[in-house]
Amino acid sequence: MRNSSVALKLLNTFAIDVRARSIVTAHSESELLKLWWKASERNQPILVLGGGSNVLFLENYLGTVLLNRINGIKISEDTEAWYVHVNAGEIWHNLVNICLDRRMPGLENLAMIPGYVGSAPIQNIGAYGVELKQVCEYVDIIQLETGTKIRLSAVDCQFGYRESIFKHDLREHNVIVSVCLRLTKDWKPVLNYGDLTRFNAQQVTPRQIYEMVCKMRRNKLPDPTLVGNAGSFFKNPIIDSSEAKDLLHRYPDVPYYPQLDGRVKLAAGWLIDHCGLKGYKLGGAALHDEQALILINTGKANGSDIVSLARYIRRKIADQFSIWLEPEVRFISALGEVDAKGVVS
Ligand code: FAD
Ligand code: EPU
């Protein structure tokens, strides 16, 4: 597909060397609609993309990639909170910095998550004890087929662990154009994860939390500009309490996180590590040496290499723990998104 096609290697953090028929960029809502209509008139598939940090391209994409780069931030406040209305084309980590610089804390635990603001609600981004849903006031979307703009409250978004309505009922033909965050003025530090537990809650500043989160991330996670990856490849599995009891009996040192509904979340990285797979290589794909939940492109991996390794890991974990891991990363085939779970089964 080399003729009249464009490279996607720099538009996906896995750095898979694939191509698309065309790439177009929207800087405003009207431009977004125009570009969508133009591409759909050609009867080609359209893929809205942010930073490509949560996708795996399985092959060349036979359609138009539409980059949402609508910028702009508006801040308002009342006595209780700041309301930060951010357009989808802002870079998430820049937003975290802007809020901290303006002394509006609340996003410090979510520093350094790659990607754009418009993608953040899709999997309800989360890290170091905080999820987007805790600060999300509303999400604005445009229904592309009608051009209608709709505002969804945080409840409407049906947020869950790496979940939202945008992965299900609103997956197709809807684009997130802005997100509003509510940052309370009654800030309280969230210090329940990793090295953050060492801070004194009475004295710690948002900036110190931010610095510690950045340090932990730099230590553990491969920099996608140097090593192709899409962060955690699988979700952490959530199992029933009875299954968790059995597992803890067999593996007393397994890390586990009780959930509000009585179920228990496990660390997929620990399960994979426990099978001795850290650093394991298959074709051009490998498991990261420091963090077993991260699949990396060793240089020339294609989508099939990553899928083969993912299948191998899933099978190993199922054999050892009777748990089937589910991909967190979204899989994109020639004509659009495909069911990642089905592909790795
Ligand atoms: P993309 O990969 O471009 O898109 C993801 C999906 O959303 C695609 O299906 C795309 O079609 C769709 N989409 C994108 N923009 C829009 C839009 N405006 N409207 C509708 N659909 C859209 N995630 C976490 O939650 N926590 C972490 O700690 C974390 N750490 C990471 C670390 C590394 C090193 C990497 C590479 C990834 C990490 N991730 C993490 C995953 C990723 O950063 C997030 O999922 C992020 O929100 C993806 O943003 P993006 O703009 O790159 O999305
Ligand atoms: N662990 C191991 N070996 C490994 C990796 C992890 O034993 O190779 C153990 C750790 O020692 C720890 C536990 O597993 O006890 C959890 O590890 P870690 O703190 O690194 O977090 P994670 O569960 O692997 C999740 C998110 C990350 C997020 C971090 C911090 C998922 C799928 N991943 O990772 O998000 O940054 O917590 O909150 O929930 C992403 O979604 O792409 C992502 C990077």
Side-chain angles (χ1 to χ4, degrees):
M1 201 175 80
R2 204 145 276 268
N3 287 341
S4 68
S5 70
V6 275
L8 287 175
K9 192 170 178 182
L10 295 177
L11 283 173
N12 72 101
T13 60
F14 249 129
I16 304 291
D17 195 3
V18 286
R19 303 180 76 81
R21 285 247 197 266
S22 62
I23 299 174
V24 294
T25 305
H27 298 98
S28 67
E29 291 177 9
S30 55
E31 201 180 5
L32 180 93
L33 278 172
K34 261 189 226 151
L35 289 168
W36 189 80
W37 281 325
K38 212 168 143 189
S40 52
E41 266 166 22
R42 280 189 242 127
N43 263 332
Q44 275 179 11
I46 302 154
L47 176 72
V48 179
L49 207 59
S53 64
N54 210 29
V55 291
L56 173 67
F57 283 102
L58 301 176
E59 54 197 330
N60 287 329
Y61 182 63
L62 299 178
T64 299
V65 168
L66 201 170
L67 301 177
N68 184 334
R69 299 293 185 261
I70 309 173
N71 291 115
I73 301 177
K74 279 189 218 135
I75 301 169
S76 57
E77 65 183 296
D78 59 23
T79 49
E80 288 172 1
W82 293 281
Y83 300 86
V84 190
H85 176 101
V86 198
N87 288 334
E90 296 289 339
I91 291 173
W92 175 263
H93 180 66
N94 291 351
L95 175 69
V96 175
N97 278 314
I98 289 169
C99 290
L100 272 188
D101 289 347
R102 294 193 182 196
R103 297 184 190 283
M104 301 185 301
L107 301 182
E108 52 285 345
N109 297 56
L110 299 175
M112 274 183 79
I113 298 181
Y116 285 77
V117 167
S119 318
I122 295 174
Q123 72 158 6
N124 176 29
I125 55 168
Y128 299 95
V130 175
E131 286 184 335
L132 181 88
K133 73 170 183 185
Q134 290 160 248
V135 288
C136 180
E137 180 76 359
Y138 59 77
V139 175
D140 286 341
I141 61 167
I142 290 187
Q143 293 187 324
L144 292 163
E145 278 166 335
T146 58
T148 318
K149 195 165 168 178
I150 295 176
R151 176 157 295 177
L152 300 160
S153 69
V155 172
D156 296 334
C157 292
Q158 299 174 15
F159 289 124
Y161 165 64
R162 298 296 188 265
E163 275 297 350
S164 75
I165 195 167
F166 308 108
K167 284 186 166 184
H168 302 283
D169 296 2
L170 298 183
R171 191 165 66 88
E172 302 239 25
H173 309 313
N174 292 288
V175 176
I176 293 175
V177 286
S178 40
V179 177
C180 181
L181 306 176
R182 181 184 187 277
L183 303 177
T184 176
K185 292 183 177 175
D186 182 23
W187 176 77
K188 293 201 176 58
V190 179
L191 302 173
N192 52 18
Y193 203 103
D195 291 346
L196 295 178
T197 54
R198 293 202 219 139
F199 282 125
N200 176 337
Q202 310 309 317
Q203 288 167 0
V204 71
T205 65
R207 180 64 63 182
Q208 283 173 318
I209 295 176
Y210 169 92
E211 299 292 354
M212 181 63 89
V213 166
C214 291
K215 191 173 158 204
M216 286 190 282
R217 296 186 69 101
R218 280 196 198 99
N219 285 343
K220 255 194 247 174
L221 304 174
D223 176 352
T225 60
L226 305 174
V227 179
N229 77 93
S232 302
F233 191 85
F234 296 103
K235 291 185 207 172
N236 284 330
I238 300 178
I239 61 173
D240 289 339
S241 58
S242 57
E243 291 172 73
K245 242 187 199 164
D246 286 350
L247 195 75
L248 268 162
H249 187 66
R250 282 189 289 147
Y251 305 96
D253 56 341
V254 66
Y256 66 99
Y257 314 94
Q259 304 294 289
L260 289 174
D261 61 5
R263 293 184 302 157
V264 175
K265 195 199 272 181
L266 302 173
W270 186 92
L271 302 176
I272 299 171
D273 200 359
H274 200 80
C275 291
L277 291 171
K278 221 181 230 173
Y280 184 83
K281 287 194 176 65
L282 197 64
L287 276 167
H288 186 49
D289 289 330
E290 306 292 325
Q291 228 292 1
L293 191 47
I294 299 191
L295 272 68
I296 61 167
N297 174 357
T298 60
K300 292 211 168 127
N302 56 31
S304 310
D305 290 340
I306 307 282
V307 168
S308 301
L309 179 56
R311 270 196 204 121
Y312 178 78
I313 295 162
R314 266 188 106 233
R315 163 70 52 199
K316 282 273 178 197
I317 300 306
D319 288 349
Q320 178 96 17
F321 302 104
S322 305
I323 291 171
W324 289 98
L325 296 178
E326 279 184 30
E328 177 195 290
V329 172
R330 319 281 294 267
F331 288 12
I332 314 293
S333 74
L335 298 176
E337 183 169 9
V338 286
D339 172 29
K341 200 169 143 191
V343 173
V344 294
S345 292

